[in-house]
Amino acid sequence: MTAPPAATRSPRTINREFVTGAVTGAAALMLVGTGGAVLVGIFARLTGRSSGIDQGLVVAVLLNVALLLFGCLRYRALTAELNEATDAGHRARVLAQRDSLTGFLNRRSLSEDGATLFGSARRRGKVVAMLTIDVDFFKSVNDMHGYAVGDQVLVHVAETIAAIAPTSSLLARLGADEFACAFVFDPAHQGVADRIAERLVTGFARPFRANGVDIHATVSIGVARSDADCASIDALLRNADIALHAAKTAGRNRHVWFNTAMEQSLQVRGELESGLRLAVAAQDIIPYFEQQVDLATGLTTGFEVLARWDHPTRGMIPPDVFIPIAEEIGVIGDLSLSLMRQACTAARDWDSALTLSINISSVQLRDAWLAQKIIKTLVETGFPASRLEIEVTESALFDNLALAQSIVGSLKNQGIRLALDDFGTGFSSLAHLRALPFDRIKIDHSFVASILDNAESMAIVNTIVRLGDSLNLPVTAEGIEDAAVEERLRALGCAKGQGYLYGRPMNAAQLRRLLAEQRLLAHQPDGDFPPVRGIAPRLAG
């Protein structure tokens, strides 16, 4: 049995080997010496030249045999220990280089092996393509089905990548649900990388079954090439990551190539992220109020709260730009509660018939303490729960219906009303109407704006209005900008409407002046705000 190289053994182990070897060697030498003397004595007795054998020599021989056997056995044991330690060291090196779940390289190993591939490709006049692959909405898979199913999905993703990627590719798992694939191709044939990326996107479009559950795990892919002003494998990986972000921003389930404009866009986004954190903390994002009108009477019944951010250097930033960022960086909860606190403070002394509608994002509906936070805000601002309406979208409910039911139940117990926003654009609309105690349905503006010239939009709006009537749920139409659209909605039986036809959204100060002119503010010195009877007339826009 061959011992492991000395370079792999510790000094202590080498000392133990030395002692064992020295004892065994000494025993062997003594055995040769004493054994020879005993043999001479035996021969002398057999030939009659001696009458006996020295018993001391016999004992010495037996002791030397025992020592020699002990040394051999000990040497075998030490060799086995050393081989086991060597195997453990090899396993440790493998674990340090590879992901234990998928067997792919880890990020560090990709950087090391990729540098070799990068240099080799340059010397041969070839190009390295780097694909970064992210599983879309993987957190939802873990939340809904558990981590065991999530691990099966990751293994499935790794196996699919390995089956589609070229045989010489470097495959790595970079993070929880992010993978990388690097391979060499001819710079004149970029279509090779395109085809690999398209096959990956298509391969994941089919559902995957794990623990009896069908999982729809699409992927987003960023692609970069090493000859596009890229100095190293790490720079190439960064470019692919930037392209991956662009793919997710563009709607996911696709692949996108890196270009330099993306890097500039990413820098702008980074500035917006840091600015947004400061703006939320300083309450620089303020509520604007859009009128909601009773279509039958033309009277204003309330206002929807909209977020507005007047950036100090970039001016007014649209909500559809900063709201997704707020959700991604985890400040949407603080932002929403800040808007609610500001809006409730501004509206607590309005006419008691005027309501506030506030949107809640899907990210907030994952917070089991959301209802308590909203109720606490109402208590702190003194705004009546009966005048607050919470709006949620169908897509928000899709993530975790059971938790949404719990949150909504707590809010309804306090007298807060619930509206289903953007009806018809989400998932399983009728199922959600049965599962949750909604007080109102809101038709998405994309249907409302085109009812006069699009028969399908007209049919959808008509169907939603009739459905609301059958379920005794009033319907609000969003995005009304034309009097003819308003008239058509009124004829269909739509209860309420909102949009630019009734004026642009106003900040709290502008709206307060208008309400004061129409004597729709309650004032009492002791700070109590009794309701003023009547409903506000339509406010001039």
Side-chain angles (χ1 to χ4, degrees):
M1 183 179 294
T2 304
T8 66
R9 310 195 303 267
S10 67
R12 181 179 178 183
T13 300
I14 293 174
N15 289 338
R16 290 166 63 190
E17 285 184 311
F18 176 77
V19 171
T20 301
V23 171
T24 304
L29 291 175
M30 292 177 65
L31 178 62
V32 170
T34 56
V38 170
L39 288 174
V40 170
I42 293 174
F43 180 77
R45 181 171 181 176
L46 290 175
T47 57
R49 288 182 295 177
S50 173
S51 60
I53 301 173
D54 188 339
Q55 297 298 318
L57 288 175
V58 174
V59 171
V61 168
L62 294 176
L63 286 175
N64 287 329
V65 170
L67 283 173
L68 189 60
L69 290 174
F70 171 77
C72 290
L73 291 174
R74 183 57 183 155
Y75 182 78
R76 288 175 62 87
L78 277 174
T79 302
E81 289 179 19
L82 291 170
N83 286 331
E84 184 177 346
T86 301
D87 291 341
H90 175 71
R91 289 194 298 271
R93 286 193 298 275
V94 170
L95 290 174
Q97 294 170 348
R98 294 190 174 270
D99 170 56
S100 59
L101 179 65
T102 64
F104 279 12
L105 298 171
N106 56 28
R107 182 181 289 272
R108 177 181 175 183
S109 296
L110 175 65
S111 181
E112 294 172 351
D113 293 358
T116 302
L117 182 69
F118 194 90
S120 172
R122 280 196 167 180
R123 288 191 297 271
R124 294 157 49 202
K126 303 292 184 179
V127 174
V128 177
M130 177 68 74
L131 281 63
T132 50
I133 306 155
D134 186 81
V135 183
D136 298 330
F137 305 111
F138 179 70
K139 186 179 185 302
S140 296
V141 175
N142 279 336
D143 290 344
M144 289 190 289
H145 305 293
Y147 289 100
V149 171
D151 285 349
Q152 290 184 49
V153 172
L154 293 175
V155 171
H156 167 68
V157 170
E159 291 174 347
T160 304
I161 294 172
I164 294 175
T167 54
S168 58
S169 300
L170 294 180
L171 305 178
R173 182 183 176 198
L174 304 179
D177 61 332
E178 186 177 347
F179 298 82
C181 170
F183 57 87
V184 176
F185 71 99
D186 190 314
H189 299 91
Q190 179 171 303
V192 172
D194 274 315
R195 286 193 292 274
I196 296 296
E198 288 168 2
R199 288 182 61 194
L200 286 170
V201 171
T202 304
F204 291 111
R206 295 184 291 271
F208 162 70
R209 195 162 186 82
N211 283 10
V213 179
D214 285 334
I215 306 296
H216 297 266
T218 61
V219 296
S220 300
I221 302 176
V223 191
R225 50 189 292 165
S226 60
D227 59 345
D229 192 23
C230 193
S232 67
I233 191 68
D234 293 330
L236 180 63
L237 183 59
R238 179 177 179 274
N239 289 350
D241 275 335
I242 292 173
L244 171 61
H245 181 270
K248 292 192 288 186
T249 302
R252 304 175 191 268
N253 192 27
R254 67 194 65 210
H255 80 277
V256 172
W257 279 88
F258 169 80
N259 62 63
T260 53
M262 291 178 182
E263 191 165 16
Q264 183 178 3
S265 176
L266 191 64
Q267 291 174 351
V268 171
R269 177 190 164 86
E271 293 174 7
L272 289 179
E273 282 188 14
S274 58
L276 186 59
R277 294 180 190 277
L278 297 175
V280 171
Q283 293 192 348
D284 289 337
I285 299 177
I286 63 174
Y288 269 56
F289 302 87
E290 182 175 68
Q291 292 184 64
Q292 296 174 326
V293 173
D294 186 315
L295 295 183
T297 65
L299 302 178
T300 297
T301 60
F303 298 86
E304 180 178 351
V305 177
L306 308 175
R308 292 293 184 266
W309 182 17
D310 190 2
H311 193 277
T313 59
R314 298 185 179 276
M316 195 66 73
I317 299 176
D320 58 356
V321 171
F322 69 81
I323 292 296
I325 296 176
E327 291 179 337
E328 290 180 23
I329 66 176
V331 300
I332 187 64
D334 292 337
L335 171 57
S336 180
L337 290 175
S338 171
L339 285 172
M340 185 181 297
R341 186 175 295 106
Q342 294 178 68
C344 289
T345 300
R348 61 185 175 187
D349 63 338
W350 294 353
D351 186 309
S352 62
L354 296 176
T355 62
L356 278 182
S357 296
I358 298 178
N359 288 279
I360 295 299
S361 84
S362 58
V363 176
Q364 290 176 271
L365 280 175
R366 299 172 192 158
D367 181 3
W369 296 97
L370 177 62
Q372 287 75 8
K373 292 176 180 178
I374 292 175
I375 295 167
K376 179 183 177 184
T377 301
L378 295 179
V379 171
E380 291 174 347
T381 59
F383 189 77
S386 60
R387 290 173 57 195
L388 179 65
E389 185 174 78
I390 295 296
E391 298 184 7
V392 296
T393 62
E394 295 176 79
S395 56
L397 299 174
F398 182 73
D399 285 345
N400 193 333
L401 184 58
L403 180 57
Q405 287 175 315
S406 173
I407 293 171
V408 167
S410 299
L411 295 175
K412 294 285 289 184
N413 288 338
Q414 297 297 318
I416 298 171
R417 286 177 288 182
L418 183 68
L420 182 57
D421 197 14
D422 298 341
F423 187 78
T425 62
F427 308 90
S428 307
S429 305
L430 294 178
H432 288 143
L433 287 176
R434 290 195 303 267
L436 293 168
F438 289 103
D439 299 287
R440 177 174 303 280
I441 300 172
K442 300 189 72 175
I443 308 176
D444 186 66
H445 65 87
S446 61
F447 301 126
V448 174
S450 57
I451 61 171
L452 297 180
D453 51 17
N454 187 302
E456 291 183 357
S457 295
M458 181 66 187
I460 290 172
V461 171
N462 186 42
T463 300
I464 295 174
V465 172
R466 291 181 180 277
L467 176 64
D469 185 59
S470 65
L471 297 175
N472 197 27
L473 290 174
V475 175
T476 297
E478 298 179 302
I480 302 176
E481 300 184 7
D482 184 272
V485 171
E486 179 193 47
E487 181 59 34
R488 181 64 62 88
L489 291 168
R490 186 184 298 112
L492 290 175
C494 188
K496 292 185 180 182
Q498 64 185 82
Y500 288 171
L501 177 64
Y502 312 108
R504 297 280 177 170
M506 295 170 280
N507 62 34
Q510 292 168 333
L511 180 55
R512 190 170 188 82
R513 285 195 297 270
L514 194 55
L515 293 174
E517 291 173 3
Q518 302 198 20
R519 302 180 63 81
L520 294 172
L521 296 178
H523 300 283
Q524 189 167 326
D526 62 4
D528 191 15
F529 303 105
V532 176
R533 300 195 179 278
I535 298 178
R538 180 186 297 189
L539 302 175

